[in-house]
Every structure is written in C-alpha cells, then in structure tokens.
Amino acid sequence: MAILAIGIGLAALIAVNDLYTQVFTTVAKGIGITIFVTLVAFVLATLLGLGISLLSMADNIVLRQFARFYIEVIRGIPVLVLLFYIAFVGTPGLVSLYNWLTVPLAESGLLEPLLVRDVSLTWRAIIALAICYAAFIAEIFRAGIQSVSSGQIEAAKALGLNRYHRFRLIVLPQALRTIFPPLSNDFVAMVKDSSLVSVLGVTDITQMAKVYAAGSFRFFETYSIVAYVYLLLTIGLSLILRRVEKALRSKQG
C-alpha cells in the first residue's frame, strides 16, 4: 500500500508539475535502450548459463573443471569491473585476434579490417552482462536439473531415450518448476544492473538522467523520477513473472 501510494503521488506530480513532466520525458527516452540491453543480455546469459551448467555435469573431468573455473572466477568479479574489462580490454583483444585470423582475406581485399570503434559500447555492455549473469544462471540450471529424481532418468534410459531426448522430455520440464523462480529473480535483478551500462555512455535511463541533472542541477527531481521509473519496471515485471510462475505450477500440478 505504501508503494502504491508513493507511485500514485509521483504520477500525479508528473502530470501537474511542468518540471517533473520534463524530467520524466527526458528520462523515458532511455527506457527503450534499458529494455533492449536487458532482454538481449538475459537471453544470451540464459543460453550460455545452460551450456555451462551442462558442462559442469559432464562425464569428462576437464569439462567439469572448466565450467567450475568459469563460474567461480566470474562470480568473484564485481559486475562493474567486468563491464570495464570487457569494454576496454576484452573487446580490443578480440578485435586484434579477429584481424590476425583474417589477414589473408584482408590482404586480398575480400574483407576490411575490424576497428575497435566498430563494436558499439552498447554491445560491449550486453556481452559483459551476459557473461556475468551466465555464471549465476548456470548454478540455477544445475540445481534444477539435479533436483529431478534419478529414478525417472533411469526409467527413461530403460525406454531407450537418448541423452538429448531424456533432457528435453523428462528432465527440463520437471526442472523448470525449480528453475523458474530464481531465474525470474535474476531477470529482475538484471533490469536494475543494466543501469551500470551508463558508465560507458550508453543512453539508458540512468545515463539520460545523469546528463539532464548535470545540465540543470535538478538532482532531487531527476533521481526521484529515475527511482520511480525503475520501480515501475521491476514491480510490474515481478507481478507478471509471479503470474507465470503460478500458471506453471497449476499446469504441472
């Protein structure tokens, strides 16, 4: 009720006060970038996390140790540090590697050398968020997959299902009930952590607010609106995901 009252109060203030209306209009220009960064980064993180979790449960000890190394290292680095590292160290390194591998094609005129500036800061931020969150999502997938009874997997083997079909038809549908709640929490958390991309100059909600506040010195009004917009996004998303979770439970129950 308190959150609802604050939300209604700020909405009314935005509607009747020209200053708050101007701030909201400016900040809202970054909503599209925030949503784009979050969605693309989360899809990539989910796919990478699933792959890492499967490697962590592989029969080969080298693959298992590689997955564990990735998870422990990435989880031990702050998101902001990883963001800077990918943007200003990893990307130039990958560009140099790409140019080295394509030297014959570049010399023959079939391919232009890639420049670091050709990789936009937005995509660098997306890659950094995906790499960071993949380590946490991998653990979510691992816990969910291991929660499935081994008896059912043995029964699927007895029926002649190969590993892929056992995973797709038996393991994943049952693990989804365990996986979905923490996965949805990570999605909401990524919406908030996407504000970190503003340090690279990506024009998301936070960056638009920083630029406006620096020019107008209206810090209280600007960051109050920023907090309001993020609350709208996260609370609205949480309510939607809870409905989806209940639907999954009722369907599987």
Side-chain angles (χ1 to χ4, degrees):
M1 292 299 294
I3 293 173
L4 182 62
I6 293 171
I8 293 174
L10 278 172
L13 192 60
I14 292 169
V16 301
N17 187 294
D18 290 340
L19 174 60
Y20 279 91
T21 301
Q22 185 180 5
V23 174
F24 180 80
T25 303
T26 302
V27 169
K29 293 177 183 177
I31 293 177
I33 290 294
T34 294
I35 293 173
F36 173 76
V37 168
T38 302
L39 288 177
V40 176
F42 191 78
V43 169
L44 294 176
T46 301
L47 295 175
L48 181 58
L50 176 58
I52 295 295
S53 70
L54 294 177
L55 289 180
S56 69
M57 295 179 287
D59 297 331
N60 190 308
I61 188 173
V62 176
L63 296 178
R64 292 201 307 271
Q65 291 303 318
F66 170 78
R68 178 50 51 188
F69 175 80
Y70 175 89
I71 291 170
E72 295 301 332
V73 169
I74 297 301
R75 289 199 306 177
I77 301 175
V79 180
L80 186 58
V81 175
L82 189 62
L83 196 67
F84 282 130
Y85 194 88
I86 295 297
F88 301 118
V89 180
T91 300
L94 289 176
V95 169
S96 298
L97 178 62
Y98 171 83
N99 289 332
W100 179 74
L101 293 173
T102 58
V103 165
L105 295 175
E107 290 179 346
S108 62
L110 297 176
L111 195 65
E112 290 291 331
L114 185 65
L115 301 176
V116 175
R117 65 171 178 266
D118 293 333
V119 184
S120 70
L121 290 172
T122 300
W123 278 103
R124 298 186 206 187
I126 288 172
I127 293 169
L129 287 175
I131 290 174
C132 179
Y133 269 79
F136 297 94
I137 291 175
E139 290 292 89
I140 293 173
F141 274 112
R142 183 185 61 80
I145 291 170
Q146 291 181 341
S147 69
V148 178
S149 171
S150 59
Q152 298 194 41
I153 299 175
E154 293 299 325
K157 288 182 181 179
L159 292 174
L161 296 177
N162 59 33
R163 178 171 291 185
Y164 168 74
H165 286 101
R166 290 198 302 269
F167 178 77
R168 186 173 67 87
L169 299 175
I170 305 298
V171 176
L172 188 59
Q174 296 184 67
L176 190 61
R177 181 183 298 181
T178 304
I179 290 169
F180 188 81
L183 195 63
S184 62
N185 287 338
D186 272 7
F187 187 33
V188 174
M190 185 178 279
V191 174
K192 295 184 292 182
D193 281 346
S194 68
S195 62
L196 294 174
V197 306
S198 64
V199 300
L200 300 180
V202 178
T203 55
D204 70 325
I205 294 170
T206 306
Q207 177 64 12
M208 297 301 295
K210 285 166 60 178
V211 172
Y212 183 86
S216 65
F217 296 98
R218 295 286 187 174
F219 295 101
F220 174 78
E221 295 86 350
T222 302
Y223 289 109
S224 295
I225 295 298
V226 170
Y228 175 68
V229 171
Y230 275 113
L231 276 174
L232 287 179
L233 290 175
T234 55
I235 292 176
L237 186 58
S238 296
L239 292 174
I240 293 171
L241 291 173
R242 284 179 190 174
R243 284 185 170 273
V244 175
E245 183 182 343
K246 287 181 181 179
L248 286 174
R249 286 181 178 177
S250 61
K251 184 178 180 180
Q252 294 178 357

